């Protein structure tokens, strides 16, 4: 499994984290499905006390998907759409956790250079980080290298949360949780390398026989229980985050 987060290091209540996750999941599913969806309509029923935290994540998601479509969303657009949160929006654009900053227009950043590693391809990205398939030059092995997408532009809070994830992974020793190899920093941007798992994710096993699915579910439940017993809550457990080896082992 990937991307666990130690809840003790979160900066907002766990109940609000869960609410943000649910809202962002609905919003991203709509974006992925090509639906016409706006941040404004997702905020209609949100209490004022929760609005800033939720708005931040929805802006991040919308910007990310717009950049993928070749658009260049600028800060001024979001300032005009959400004038009540102008100060917050300006701060977010200066340290957007998923996309680099260039002249008040967000653009995808080029691949970084990490001493000791040769980046091979991009495997995916999430709320705070991007994951590359990389070759460790000294040991001549493939690893998954995770970095903050905003690099040195990331805020201190995002760097702390990113390192909290690395520390959480490092203290979990279980054959069904990816193992961490190294934690480092390059040009002010932290990164960590993980065991590379090469068999895709659980989403490709949708037509598994019932008995195989039951055994898999039991194994996953025991693995999550192991993490819970060590104070770790995953917060984004889904088929795409359950990786498989080439032999089908999760």
């Amino acid at each position: 499994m990937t991307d666990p987060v130690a809840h003790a290091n979160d900066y907002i209540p766990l109940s609000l984290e869960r609410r943000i996750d649910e809202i962002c999941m609905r919003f991203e599913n709509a974006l992925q499905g090509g639906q016409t969806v706006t941040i404004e309509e997702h905020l209609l029923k949100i209490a004022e006390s929760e609005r800033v935290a939720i708005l931040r994540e929805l802006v991040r998601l919308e910007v990310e998907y717009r950049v993928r479509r070749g658009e260049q969303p600028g800060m001024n657009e979001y300032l005009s759409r959400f004038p009540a949160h102008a100060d917050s929006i300006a701060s977010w654009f200066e340290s957007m956790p998923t996309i680099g900053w260039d002249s008040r227009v967000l653009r995808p950043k080029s691949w970084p250079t990490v001493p000791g590693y040769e980046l091979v391809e991009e495997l995916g990205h999430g709320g705070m980080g991007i994951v590359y398939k990389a070759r460790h030059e000294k040991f001549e092995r493939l690893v998954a290298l995770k970095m903050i997408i905003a690099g040195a532009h990331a805020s201190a809070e995002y760097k702390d949360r990113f390192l909290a994830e690395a520390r959480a992974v490092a203290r979990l020793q279980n054959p069904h949780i990816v193992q961490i190899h190294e934690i480092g920093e390059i040009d002010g941007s932290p990164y960590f390398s993980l065991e590379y798992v090469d068999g895709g994710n659980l989403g490709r096993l949708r037509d598994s026989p019932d008995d195989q699915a039951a055994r898999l579910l039991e194994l996953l439940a025991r693995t999550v229980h192991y993490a819970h017993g060590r104070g770790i809550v995953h917060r984004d457990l889904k088929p795409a985050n359950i990786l498989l080896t080439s032999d089908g082992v999760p």
Side-chain angles (χ1 to χ4, degrees), residues 135-235:
R135 181 175 293 103
H136 191 290
E137 295 174 346
K138 182 176 181 179
F139 296 112
E140 297 184 348
R141 68 179 176 187
L142 293 175
V143 300
L145 189 72
K146 185 163 186 176
M147 307 186 72
I148 292 180
I149 300 179
H153 297 286
S155 66
E157 175 184 343
Y158 272 96
K159 290 181 180 180
D160 287 346
R161 290 170 67 90
F162 185 84
L163 289 174
E165 177 185 326
R167 296 186 188 104
V169 175
R171 68 175 187 261
L172 297 177
Q173 300 297 315
N174 184 288
H176 300 288
I177 296 177
V178 292
Q179 296 300 291
I180 193 164
H181 297 314
E182 178 185 21
I183 299 175
E185 184 173 306
I186 177 70
D187 295 331
S189 179
Y191 69 86
F192 57 94
S193 64
L194 298 141
E195 172 187 0
Y196 174 63
V197 186
D198 60 354
N201 63 58
L202 187 60
R204 71 178 178 84
L205 294 184
R206 295 182 183 275
D207 298 323
S208 301
D210 290 348
D211 58 342
Q212 179 182 343
R215 288 194 297 270
L216 179 62
L217 182 60
E218 179 186 7
L219 189 154
L220 293 173
R222 293 184 182 279
T223 304
V224 172
H225 177 71
Y226 166 85
H228 288 176
R230 283 148 184 81
I232 304 300
V233 177
H234 191 286
R235 298 197 301 115

Side-chain angles (χ1 to χ4, degrees), residues 20-29 57-58 61:
I20 292 173
D21 286 345
E22 292 170 0
I23 292 171
C24 287
M25 186 174 296
R26 291 198 299 270
F27 187 69
E28 186 168 16
N29 286 341
E57 298 306 315
L58 294 181
L61 278 171

